[in-house]
Amino acid sequence: MQVENQQLKLFLLDFGLISKKDVNDALKEAQKSDEDLEKIILKRKLISQEELNKLKAYILGIPFIELKDSEIDPEVLKIIPESMARQYNAVAFDKKGNQLKVAMLDPNDLQFLDFIGKKTGLKIIPCFTCKDSIKKALQFFQKSLKAEFGDIVKEVGGVKEDAEIDEKLIIKSGEDNKEKGVDLKKAAEDLPVVKIVDTLLKHAILQSASDIHIEPEEKDVVIRYRIDGVLRDAMTLPKIILPGIVARIKILSNLKIDEHRLPQDGRFKVETSDYKIAFRVSIIPVFDGEKIVMRLLNESSGVLTLEQIGFYGRDLKIIQNEVKKPNGMILVVGPTGSGKTTTLYTILGILNVPEVNISTLEDPVEYRMPRINQSQINTKINFTFASGLRALLRQDPDIIMVGEIRDGETAELAVHAALTGHLVLSTLHTNSAAGTLPRITDMGIEPFLIASTANIIISQRLVRKICPECKKKYVLDENTYNGIAQNFDVDSVAELFKREKIVKKEYASSKEMWLNLKFSKGVGCDKCRKEGYKGRIGIFEVLEITDKIAKLINSGATSAEIEEGGIKEGMTTMLEDGLIKAAQGITTIEEVMRVTKE
């Protein structure tokens, strides 16, 4: 839906949305490049897409509708079939009497409007909307997981309340296959099995799950999704269809279908116009069959910024300064699933410029990045982190990322690479930044080598964010405050809040400050599955290896002494960073306590 350049200019000036100089400069560029004025002003970020959409709707005399937070009646939605809604980017969202309101990206598509009017016998009222709104509205066509499985079952005439199953769904496993000549590949490509697996994958993507667990039990198969770091039951299926599901996923992942005794790892992709998801598959034999875990990696999301993953203030400045150094080590530590790899990829995104050669050793390669040489570790052929790192040093690298330092040999080679002019990024499994140093020492690395090569150590966890749709402010009551006071030093945290300018008013005591400070929580809504949380963000502690910290390392100080030295140097602990984010309304105190307790 286009508006003439001159007409758009007049309205932009009339509404005071852009200065006269900016709009004239944008118009000159539009005329020079033969582009529309709206593309130029969006490219220059002079106005948001939403403001522009509303202005265009006003100019053309067409209502503007935002559907991202709206619930649409399923009966109204079905008036325009899903296939047509997707093809024409048009969704029916409201019906009153003989009038049907339709949200469209192009309300001037008269041919489509005339067709819908004749087909439905209704008076069509076109409304202008944006791409995000249409994308969200199209999701209303998706049924619940249970409803979709009900339809699949009805289609094959099979599973009823008493768990009777159509023969088409039955796929025997193990020795039965050899005796009866069952073709696993043919069975895995049978329509019901394909539909079941496709449905499980689709709903995991729609719910933004990070993992799918398919777990066999004695009589059932439990399907669980990990959403925002927490596993949730999604579906329970009859045990008899497990071999078909396993065989189907093995085919997708290019694994051996007839291997049931050994663990297997594979990978496949699901790509549509809306998303591009890579599935990392792990299959392992358990007592009741084969268990499958699939990790979902969104390849269409792009590289995040340091601010987006949760860095700010002093920590952000330190990282921005340290990544500019040509050599040394940047270590990211934390337990499995704490977002270490995402932090490393974010740093690599900053470092990824044409002037440097970046090589990585990963197990596995999670996200593909352009202009970065990524190598997959394969221990079966002795391509380990240590052997790979030794080979990489002959590849003229400037920056090396080692997925994980697991042993003394890898640690020694990483330190050697940092000493000889390379910037090395890697991860370790430790609980705190200060605890990393004794861990590397235990691997046989001399303290003076660590002190001279390590630049910064980042320790992190992931906390769930408060759902923005149902966020509600509250103040602590006396009992809650007493519980918090038992777990950490409320006086020092009060001083931290003042330093971070979260609290601007002076209070007679830290207790008074705590009881007047407004925190937030999610009360629960449909958008967050009634849980009050949606999405995750990192909480961090960044230990900069200053001269004082280096002296402590050289003197053989304990992790507690190193942490104390870091705090004196201005380090914010992970717990403190979490409490700051709680005070800022990003997460809750309960969530911070959950992930930081040891």
Side-chain angles (χ1 to χ4, degrees), residues 538-555:
I539 58 173
F540 307 91
E541 60 185 29
V542 178
L543 178 62
E544 185 180 17
I545 310 303
T546 61
D547 291 340
K548 288 183 180 179
I549 300 298
K551 284 178 183 177
L552 285 172
I553 297 168
N554 283 325
S555 66

Side-chain angles (χ1 to χ4, degrees), residues 251-443:
I251 285 176
L252 290 172
S253 311
N254 199 26
L255 300 176
K256 294 178 181 177
I257 308 173
D258 56 350
E259 178 57 76
H260 306 288
R261 300 168 302 165
L262 294 173
Q264 295 190 74
D265 295 322
R267 195 180 180 105
F268 65 93
K269 282 186 183 180
V270 172
E271 195 168 346
T272 71
S273 57
D274 295 327
Y275 49 74
K276 183 179 178 183
I277 307 289
F279 288 81
R280 200 177 78 203
V281 180
S282 172
I283 302 177
I284 191 168
V286 294
F287 187 80
D288 290 306
E290 290 177 271
K291 178 188 173 184
I292 302 173
V293 176
M294 291 181 276
R295 168 66 55 86
L296 282 69
L297 304 165
N298 189 349
E299 296 189 349
S300 59
S301 60
V303 179
L304 299 170
T305 65
L306 290 170
E307 292 89 342
Q308 285 173 323
I309 62 176
F311 288 104
Y312 66 95
R314 172 189 175 274
D315 292 351
L316 181 63
K317 288 177 184 175
I318 288 172
I319 295 171
Q320 288 172 337
N321 290 333
E322 293 299 335
V323 298
K324 294 174 185 175
K325 292 183 178 179
N327 59 282
M329 292 179 70
I330 295 174
L331 299 174
V332 184
V333 304
T336 302
S338 60
K340 299 186 298 296
T341 305
T342 300
T343 300
L344 284 184
Y345 277 122
T346 302
I347 294 172
L348 282 181
I350 297 169
L351 296 168
N352 191 10
V353 292
E355 293 80 20
V356 295
N357 173 22
I358 302 177
S359 295
T360 74
L361 294 167
E362 302 174 58
D363 185 20
V365 174
E366 293 198 6
Y367 295 98
R368 297 295 306 279
M369 296 186 75
R371 302 185 69 91
I372 291 179
N373 310 292
Q374 296 173 266
S375 298
Q376 167 77 52
I377 293 302
N378 188 345
T379 52
K380 291 177 184 175
I381 57 172
N382 201 33
F383 183 27
T384 62
F385 282 117
S387 63
L389 185 50
R390 196 177 287 109
L392 269 191
L393 291 171
R394 297 191 289 270
Q395 287 277 314
D396 185 32
D398 297 298
I399 298 163
I400 300 169
M401 185 186 101
V402 180
E404 185 185 344
I405 295 176
R406 294 177 180 171
D407 52 55
E409 188 182 4
T410 308
E412 186 179 348
L413 287 165
V415 168
H416 174 73
L419 282 170
T420 52
H422 304 90
L423 183 62
V424 179
L425 286 71
S426 192
T427 71
L428 280 100
H429 285 90
T430 61
N431 287 327
S432 66
T436 306
L437 303 161
R439 174 89 173 90
I440 300 177
T441 306
D442 288 343
M443 290 181 179

Side-chain angles (χ1 to χ4, degrees), residues 86-103:
R86 291 186 181 278
Q87 182 181 349
Y88 292 97
N89 288 305
V91 175
F93 68 93
D94 187 32
K95 180 179 178 291
K96 288 179 182 175
N98 71 330
Q99 293 187 342
L100 179 68
K101 290 185 178 179
V102 179

Side-chain angles (χ1 to χ4, degrees), residues 95-160:
K95 180 179 178 291
K96 288 179 182 175
N98 71 330
Q99 293 187 342
L100 179 68
K101 290 185 178 179
V102 179
M104 305 174 67
L105 291 185
D106 183 11
N108 291 329
D109 190 343
L110 300 178
Q111 188 175 354
F112 172 77
L113 292 170
D114 185 54
F115 173 78
I116 292 297
K118 288 178 180 176
K119 184 184 176 187
T120 61
L122 300 170
K123 182 181 178 182
I124 308 300
I125 301 174
C127 299
F128 182 44
T129 193
C130 59
K131 286 183 180 179
D132 285 345
S133 215
I134 286 287
K135 186 178 176 181
K136 189 71 178 177
L138 289 172
Q139 289 183 5
F140 285 110
F141 282 103
Q142 307 295 341
K143 298 176 184 175
S144 71
L145 185 60
K146 196 168 281 189
E148 286 218 38
F149 269 108
D151 286 351
I152 293 169
V153 165
K154 285 177 187 175
E155 199 173 305
V156 297
V159 185
K160 301 193 173 58

Side-chain angles (χ1 to χ4, degrees), residues 407-538:
D407 52 55
E409 188 182 4
T410 308
E412 186 179 348
L413 287 165
V415 168
H416 174 73
L419 282 170
T420 52
H422 304 90
L423 183 62
V424 179
L425 286 71
S426 192
T427 71
L428 280 100
H429 285 90
T430 61
N431 287 327
S432 66
T436 306
L437 303 161
R439 174 89 173 90
I440 300 177
T441 306
D442 288 343
M443 290 181 179
I445 306 301
E446 293 293 336
F448 76 90
L449 288 173
I450 304 168
S452 58
T453 55
N455 294 347
I456 50 169
I457 301 171
I458 303 165
S459 181
Q460 68 179 80
R461 302 286 190 279
L462 291 175
V463 294
R464 290 178 291 173
K465 295 194 292 184
I466 299 168
C467 173
E469 302 299 327
C470 59
K471 183 189 284 191
K472 184 180 179 182
K473 290 189 178 293
Y474 74 101
V475 292
L476 301 177
D477 57 34
E478 190 84 22
N479 289 335
T480 307
Y481 168 77
N482 291 335
I484 291 169
Q486 289 174 2
N487 287 283
F488 49 79
D489 187 344
V490 288
D491 294 331
S492 65
V493 176
E495 289 301 317
L496 179 67
F497 286 168
K498 288 178 187 176
R499 194 172 72 228
E500 295 293 329
K501 297 180 180 176
I502 291 169
V503 176
K504 297 175 183 177
K505 185 180 173 183
E506 284 295 326
Y507 291 97
S509 66
S510 64
K511 180 178 180 180
E512 186 185 347
M513 184 219 75
W514 276 96
L515 293 175
N516 281 278
L517 190 61
K518 289 188 177 180
F519 291 92
S520 298
K521 62 181 176 181
V523 296
C525 65
D526 292 336
K527 298 285 189 299
C528 61
R529 302 169 296 278
K530 307 293 184 186
E531 293 189 357
Y533 295 102
K534 191 171 178 64
R536 289 191 290 174
I537 195 168

